[in-house]
Amino acid sequence: MKSTAKNTILRFVIFLCILFLVFVYLNKVFTLPEEDENTKIFNSFYGETENSLDGIYLGSSAVNRFWNAPLAYHEYGYSIFAFSTSSQPLVLYRNLIREAEKTQSPKLYILELRDVTESAENIMEEGIRRVTDNMPLFSLNRIDTINTALDYAEQGESKVDKNRMDYYLPIIKYHSMWTQNELSANDLLLRNTEDPSKGFLLGKKSFGQVSQEKPLQTGERRPLAKETEDALRKLLDYCDTLDAEVLFVLSPYSEQEEKEREWINEAVRIVEEKGYPVLNFLDEELLEDLNLDWDKHYYDSKHVNILGAEVYTKYLAEYIKAHYDLADHRDDKQYKSWDEAYEYYLDFTKEKRAQMEE
């Protein structure tokens, strides 16, 4: 009798373990597609050798269009990963740094400041999910990331789904993918497809050339949305605790409204008062020094093409060389994947870049 009871308990435990594994698998399958560019960036980041990154560059789509990580490695030997996702909210930077420091100990964090022009009124659900859905399911940091994002969103009237269970368990949100035939073989097999160029996104838009107006110039300041200023100040306080240098940047783009620039000026003031450097490429003097071609180096008002990315990356990498002590890894065999990333970049761009330069 005792043996039978033990066997029954054992079978039940095994059943629960199998049920749990199936549950985890389904939540991994029913989430952002494997081919999503943001998922590839997260997969690639998690695949980096532990403590191998010199720097981590956070921000929205501006980062993964402006920062050509393979080129920075080829020219300077820096392993600075563009850990960015489209519409990445500023309020989540702290959580992303915590996530990064689970496996990396970078000497430098570069933080894009563009998102200070946003507020709880216009935070986007997809911007949240591109971060939270790509974190490990049962991570405490993931739970905190979800709560931080929704606490922020609840301060405005955005269209963000406020049901936290939809974020904790992605299958609740995405279960219809099965009936709508949206699942691919890569999704079902959990291939963990990686980005081949260290977070620097390459696609058809990378070769576009659309003439843009230069950023407007004004010294006026405008108060940030309360929740945005709170998020920025909490980020700055968190940066004080890091065993790393922190550089804030504003990559150059054409603002649509004067108030946007005024918000940016106020954010720069707050950051500099806290003692952190800001490279503000919207300022006329620095913009002229950067020497972007506004007729040839952009594919839309906020994103550069490959030519613009090369100009920006070389300038920023030279600044980093002058102000920070980062290692040159170009002769280190452990960084072979960075050489491969540069080769991928050359192969992807060589046919069309000649046409762009004509």
Side-chain angles (χ1 to χ4, degrees), residues 44-228:
S44 182
F45 180 82
Y46 287 138
E48 290 293 322
T49 302
E50 190 168 338
N51 294 323
S52 64
L53 297 181
D54 299 313
I56 294 172
Y57 198 157
L58 293 178
S60 57
S61 58
V63 173
N64 52 39
R65 269 71 170 189
F66 275 80
W67 180 249
N68 186 332
L71 178 65
Y73 172 79
H74 178 76
E75 297 284 339
Y76 294 87
Y78 300 152
S79 58
I80 301 177
F81 194 99
F83 194 25
S84 61
T85 49
S86 298
S87 305
Q88 186 178 101
L90 178 81
V91 72
L92 298 188
Y93 283 12
R94 286 178 295 148
N95 294 93
L96 284 161
I97 293 173
R98 290 191 191 106
E99 192 68 17
E101 299 221 331
K102 290 179 180 180
T103 55
Q104 302 294 334
S105 299
K107 290 186 176 181
L108 176 65
Y109 283 100
I110 307 172
L111 307 182
E112 172 65 59
L113 265 178
R114 280 194 195 183
D115 203 51
V116 295
T117 62
E118 305 298 331
S119 69
E121 296 293 328
N122 45 29
I123 188 173
M124 294 189 291
E125 181 176 337
E126 55 266 37
I128 298 171
R129 288 191 173 277
R130 287 165 182 153
V131 175
T132 61
D133 285 5
N134 284 311
M135 289 178 165
L137 185 63
F138 294 110
S139 160
L140 291 177
N141 188 41
R142 178 176 179 271
I143 294 171
D144 186 64
T145 305
I146 292 169
N147 292 335
T148 297
L150 296 187
D151 287 346
Y152 180 85
E154 286 170 354
Q155 297 177 68
E157 298 296 328
S158 70
K159 297 180 181 179
V160 167
D161 177 8
K162 306 298 197 306
N163 185 349
R164 301 190 182 218
M165 287 303 297
D166 287 352
Y167 296 86
Y168 297 148
L169 303 175
I171 192 172
I172 297 175
K173 177 76 175 182
Y174 299 107
H175 64 276
S176 61
M177 291 171 67
W178 180 265
T179 57
Q180 295 174 6
N181 296 318
E182 294 179 359
L183 293 175
S184 69
N186 285 339
D187 293 324
L188 294 170
L189 294 174
L190 302 181
R191 294 192 184 277
N192 290 322
T193 308
E194 295 187 2
D195 170 70
S197 47
K198 308 297 183 179
F200 179 56
L201 291 184
L202 292 166
K204 291 181 179 179
K205 291 181 178 180
S206 304
F207 305 105
Q209 289 179 296
V210 180
S211 180
Q212 303 296 330
E213 295 293 328
K214 290 184 179 181
L216 61 88
Q217 299 296 319
T218 177
E220 297 297 316
R221 299 198 306 267
R222 181 185 297 253
L224 303 175
K226 181 183 181 304
E227 65 275 11
T228 302

